[in-house]
Amino acid sequence: MVRVRYAPSPTGLQHIGGVRTALFNYLYARSTGGSFVLRIEDTDRERYSEDALQDIYASFNWLGVSWDEGPDCGGPYGPYLQSHRLERYRAAADTLLSRGWAYECFCSPERLEALRSEGSRDGVVGYDRHCRELTDEQRFSYRAKGITPVVRLKIPDQGTASFEDLLLGTVKRKHKDLPPDPVMLKSDGFPTYHLANVVDDHEMQITHVLRAQEWLSSTPLHILLYEALGHEPPKFCHLPFVTGKDGQKLSKRHGATSVIEFRKQGYLPEALINYIALLGWSYDDSREFFTLDELEELFTVEKLNKAPAVFDYKKLEWFNGNYIRACSDARLFEVLSPYIEQAGLLPAGEQSPQAEVVRNAIPLVKERLKLLSDAPSLLRFLLADIGDDYTAEDLVPKKMDTGATKALLEAVRPLVAQLDGYDDESLENEFRKVAEEYDTKLGNVMMPLRVAVTGSRASPPLIGSLRLLGADRALGRIDAALAKL
Ligand code: GLU
Ligand code: ZN
């Protein structure tokens, strides 16, 4: 029975790398009929943030990724917040102490700080094992002075930690190359990441740990800890790095990285899921489109890639456009409305006359949307007064003057008045005839008309826009444009 987990530390917003880890664990559980656990690793109280915790719930809720066990829904291995499990880490530290795998260290922060600065000067890293061989009397006297110790793991000088990574094969590291005697339990009773992570993966009966390659360097230490505690380690699979196009680890420098930013920018959750699933996994050489349901069936660890996954913002945008076009008009109305409301173009609520206008316009703009947030600017001309959106110069096509532009607008005016008497094709033919008559390109006829009725050179298809606006309003706008000229 597969049991996997996502174990985020609530210190920042959920980013692409974390979501990829969560998604692959989720998919692995779903594809094998196993369980997916959310465990919150909140033992670093200095970096803990309540907003970050709420962001975990909000992000995955929006993405449609859910867990079978977690702090919000409970489960048989809870609690799922590490800060509520402190007595278990204390007990594990005691086990390590009683087995001779750990020792108490009473060194003052000042001493450790001095070690660090000397070390960085001499190129020596880490703790000098000062307290490794303290006698009972020495420990007693430290305690009598009121000093509470930390618990450090005894890293053996001999031997090698080794494990089979599902993706990377055999990974080995000599014990003597591990950081000397890392802290397991701090003096305030909180565990460090390593101890809490290993204790919980064992107690929660996690069978497979799929995590980012950033954690690969910690795994030999974890293997040693499992041995010290007398537990069988789970299987490990370290997922490839996610980089920008420059090969550097994906970061803010490259663009949006957090779920909430992508959401604000107007990405659909299904587009993000589809794209993230392809960061280090592929089904075959050709298939690109996958719904979450399909991924839940098709995902296998065998099809993970070792090579770093390059995050391509353009490709994600392309996916998004595709998913927008695949939306029903009703769903699109629902997901677009918040953006249009935010732009002040639509009153909240579904019943306003403006809502009706937006509903009718959806088939027209669907093809043009790459991001949901593109909607306000495309729909503005239907919902607001555009008189101040453009200047007289904006109306005049290149290499033409005001007079010629005026003449063209006057020539198309009667056609617009008769809008309902033409189908799209014959209306375009009439525009073409005007172009011929004035010895110019069709584009030069359409452009001033487009600016006049939509206020912008980039609008949804012109004839469709005219129809949505209606002949009367369109004529009023043409007249306003003529007046400007
Ligand atoms: N709390 C760690 C993190 O923030 C967990 C790493 C792991 O999956 O072991 O990513
Ligand atoms: Zn010490």
Side-chain angles (χ1 to χ4, degrees), residues 70 249 330 383 386 393:
K249 205 177 145 184
L383 300 164
I386 54 143
E393 291 80 69

Side-chain angles (χ1 to χ4, degrees), residues 105-107 127 130-131:
C105 160
F106 296 86
C107 290
Y127 179 62
H130 176 263
C131 302

Side-chain angles (χ1 to χ4, degrees), residues 18 39 45 68 107 115 164 179 231 253 284 305 419 440:
R39 180 176 74 229
R45 299 316 283 180
D68 307 300
C107 290
L115 263 186
E164 289 300 314
H231 303 323
R253 281 186 302 112
D284 58 24
N305 310 127
L419 190 60
T440 186

Side-chain angles (χ1 to χ4, degrees), residues 354-416:
Q354 290 93 326
E356 204 43 40
V357 171
V358 171
R359 272 198 195 91
N360 291 332
I362 280 183
L364 190 75
V365 294
K366 212 175 197 177
E367 294 293 320
R368 303 250 161 152
L369 291 172
K370 283 199 186 113
L371 299 173
L372 302 176
S373 54
D374 295 339
S377 64
L378 284 175
L379 293 173
R380 188 181 143 71
F381 77 99
L382 291 168
L383 300 164
D385 182 8
I386 54 143
D388 296 329
D389 288 10
Y390 66 97
T391 63
E393 291 80 69
D394 294 329
L395 290 161
V396 180
K398 260 194 216 125
K399 294 190 195 149
M400 278 180 66
D401 59 24
T402 316
T405 309
K406 245 176 142 167
L408 285 176
L409 271 179
E410 270 156 3
V412 294
R413 196 182 183 286
L415 297 171
V416 173

Side-chain angles (χ1 to χ4, degrees), residues 228-258:
L229 289 165
H231 303 323
E232 188 65 29
K235 294 198 162 55
F236 288 95
C237 179
H238 291 89
L239 304 169
F241 287 105
V242 180
T243 71
K245 282 206 149 159
D246 55 2
Q248 302 295 312
K249 205 177 145 184
L250 192 71
S251 75
K252 289 204 173 72
R253 281 186 302 112
H254 296 102
T257 53
S258 66

